[in-house]
């Protein structure tokens, strides 16, 4: 098999809440996967366990034939898993260029300045280069967050709602830029998404979460049409809170 | 290049001052320089968003290290004293930093304060080190070269200036590049720093180490100027003075700590001459004015003036 990442029997509860109920998933290197599910279904918790931010109560996460449970986010990042966040995690008081420059320098780019210029161009961030990150519009903050995640030249890129908080007409443009950059970098993408049009357009496989478990897994066509998904995921059009 | 030129000019001025100024001014400049070096370290730490209210710990360690060399082992070389003091401060910071680098905000500030007060307590209790009275130190040579009596302080000031200029240039180099940006990144968002693959702990640790080393050096400079050490060097009011000077100058420039320290020493000298009873109060009022009207420090005034000129 060509799996970059395998989760085996992941469980996690917060008190009475079961955020992950025995999740097992394998991710193929050349398929873009979208994780969908209503608010609180456990999508972010899954990413948090994979990246070492949360330790699962039980289960294994295998990346590069190695169990990475127990490693810190920093160690997992260095192994080749990077992520963006539901709420962009930026260096608020620094400008866009410095944000990227820090990311490229940490990643050990041969020429961090040149790599930063390339990233600014690739993500269409040049016009914002000298603006302070804390003052940017949400769409640009999202792009910058992804651009920083991609700087670490990872094998696997996890995106937590790359288009949330962005106006409907901007979403596709942002995803085009992000997926184009990811393809160019040759990185496998897993993204969490609430907008089913985006899912249908960019995902090759869809995994539907419900109440900490998985209720459907397959091609966008089959998953998005499944009854359970229509009922528990798509029927639920409540705007999600940033978490 | 600009920094190098500024450093050269500052060094030349300080040498002129050391050779030509009256003794009292040399003494004052020496103290200002000592405190400026400590505050320089504090500014490095503040880049990571952390304020230590206990730099008196390292200031005291540096001062006592220098004094002990002279007192216990009869080593009277100022250069050895300065190096030993910086090393002592650095070593202790390397040890305590392992613990402190885990803490943030008020916990970091209070823990650093607590550690300094432990040393204060120990010094006050130790009769061998003169308890609250402390003891004297004498330096008679510099790198083995003896100097004429009456010239000591002038030589110390030149030596201190050389140390300060080198330290300032090194800090400038460090903060101007990747390390300075990384420190700001840690201040802004540690989660993102970790998720980029770097260790916020390590950044805080090394900046704490730098601050401890520079405070140790500053302690020895002050001890050489005064010719005496006592537990007051580690007391929390001493640490508070460093924070005061750091806020007075601001963290924008490497020159700011020295300029602010000079202003501070001048004000204190004037106040102790003419209004010894209201010195603390004027200090409080000055702090109030800075925080209300010039929160980025006095240095931002100089910047604005330069830009409009
Ligand atoms: N650190 C935490 N402490 C306590 N409860 C948590 C924690 N993280 C998540 N939860 C709970 O676990 C459940 C799953 O949350 P999670 O954030 O994974 O959902 P999600 O699918 O990402 O939802 P959304 O679409 O709103 O982002 C929720 O009930 C949430 O309240
Ligand atoms: Mg979420």
């Amino acid at each position: 098999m060509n799996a970059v990442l395998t989760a085996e029997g992941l469980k996690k509860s917060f008190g009475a809440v079961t955020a992950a109920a025995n999740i097992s998933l394998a991710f193929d290197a050349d398929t873009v996967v979208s994780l969908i599910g209503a608010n609180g279904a456990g999508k972010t918790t899954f990413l948090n366990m994979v990246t070492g931010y949360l330790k699962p109560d039980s289960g294994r996460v295998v990346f590069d034939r190695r169990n990475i449970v127990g490693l810190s986010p920093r160690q997992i990042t260095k192994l080749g898993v990077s992520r963006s966040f539901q709420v962009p995690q930026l260096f608020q008081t620094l400008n866009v260029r410095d944000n990227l420059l820090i990311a490229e320098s940490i990643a050990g780019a041969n020429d961090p300045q040149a790599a930063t210029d390339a990233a600014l161009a690739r993500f269409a961030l040049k016009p914002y280069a000298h603006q302070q990150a804390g003052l940017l519009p949400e769409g640009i903050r999202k792009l910058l967050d992804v651009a920083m995640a991609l700087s670490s030249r990872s094998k696997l890129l996890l995106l937590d709602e790359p288009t949330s908080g962005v106006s409907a007409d901007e979403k596709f443009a942002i995803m085009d830029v992000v997926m184009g950059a990811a393809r160019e970098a040759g990185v496998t993408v897993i993204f969490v998404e609430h907008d089913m049009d985006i899912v249908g357009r960019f995902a090759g496989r869809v995994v539907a979460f419900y109440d900490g478990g998985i209720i459907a897994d397959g091609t966008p066509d089959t998953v998005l049409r499944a009854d359970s998904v229509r009922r528990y995921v798509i029927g639920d059009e409540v705007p999600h809170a940033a978490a | 290049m600009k920094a190098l030129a500024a450093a050269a000019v500052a060094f030349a001025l300080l040498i002129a001052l050391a050779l030509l100024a009256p003794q009292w001014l040399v003494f004052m400049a020496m103290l200002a320089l000592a405190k400026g070096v400590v505050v320089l370290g504090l500014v490095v730490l503040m880049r990571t968003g952390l304020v230590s209210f206990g730099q008196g710990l390292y200031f005291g360690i540096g001062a006592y290290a220098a004094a002990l060399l002279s007192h216990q082992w009869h080593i009277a070389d100022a250069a050895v004293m300065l190096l030993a003091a910086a090393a002592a401060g650095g070593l202790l910071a390397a040890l305590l930093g392992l613990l402190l680098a885990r803490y943030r905000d008020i916990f970091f500030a209070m823990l650093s304060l607590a550690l300094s007060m432990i040393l204060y307590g120990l010094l006050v209790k130790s009769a061998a080190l003169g308890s609250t009275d402390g003891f004297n130190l004498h330096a008679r040579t510099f790198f083995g070269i003896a100097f004429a009596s009456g010239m000591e302080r002038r030589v110390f000031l030149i030596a201190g200036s050389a140390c300060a200029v080198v330290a300032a240039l090194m800090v400038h180099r460090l903060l101007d590049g990747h390390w300075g940006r990384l420190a700001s990144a840690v201040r802004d968002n540690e989660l993102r720093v970790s998720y980029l693959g770097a260790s916020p702990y390590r950044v805080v640790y090394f900046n704490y180490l730098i601050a401890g080393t520079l405070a140790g050096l500053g302690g020895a400079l002050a001890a050489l100027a005064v010719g005496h050490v006592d537990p007051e060097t580690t007391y929390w009011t001493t640490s508070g003075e460093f924070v005061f000077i750091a806020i007075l100058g601001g963290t924008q420039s490497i020159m700011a700590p020295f300029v602010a320290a000079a202003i501070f020493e001048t004000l204190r000298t004037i106040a102790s001459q003419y209004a010894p009873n209201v010195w603390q109060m004027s200090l409080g009022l000055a702090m109030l004015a800075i925080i209300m009207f010039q929160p980025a420090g006095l240095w931002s005034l100089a910047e604005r003036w330069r830009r409009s000129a």
Side-chain angles (χ1 to χ4, degrees), chain A residues 51 74 89-90 93 105 145, chain B residues 178 187-189 192 195 198:
Chain A
T51 57
R74 179 173 66 89
Q89 296 296 320
L90 311 174
T93 66
S105 302
D145 196 38
Chain B
H178 174 55
R187 179 195 61 210
D188 275 9
N189 192 339
R192 182 37 110 185
Y195 267 105

Side-chain angles (χ1 to χ4, degrees), chain B residues 273-286:
Chain B
Q273 289 266 336
Y274 301 104
N277 300 324
V278 296
W279 159 240
Q280 311 286 353
M281 194 177 79
S282 19
L283 209 64
L285 289 175

Side-chain angles (χ1 to χ4, degrees), chain A residues 12-14 17-21 23 40-43 45-46 49 209 211-213:
Chain A
K12 181 80 194 175
S13 347
F14 299 104
V17 178
T18 304
I23 292 183
K43 308 176 296 292
T45 300
F46 178 71
M49 289 189 295
F209 281 66
D211 231 1

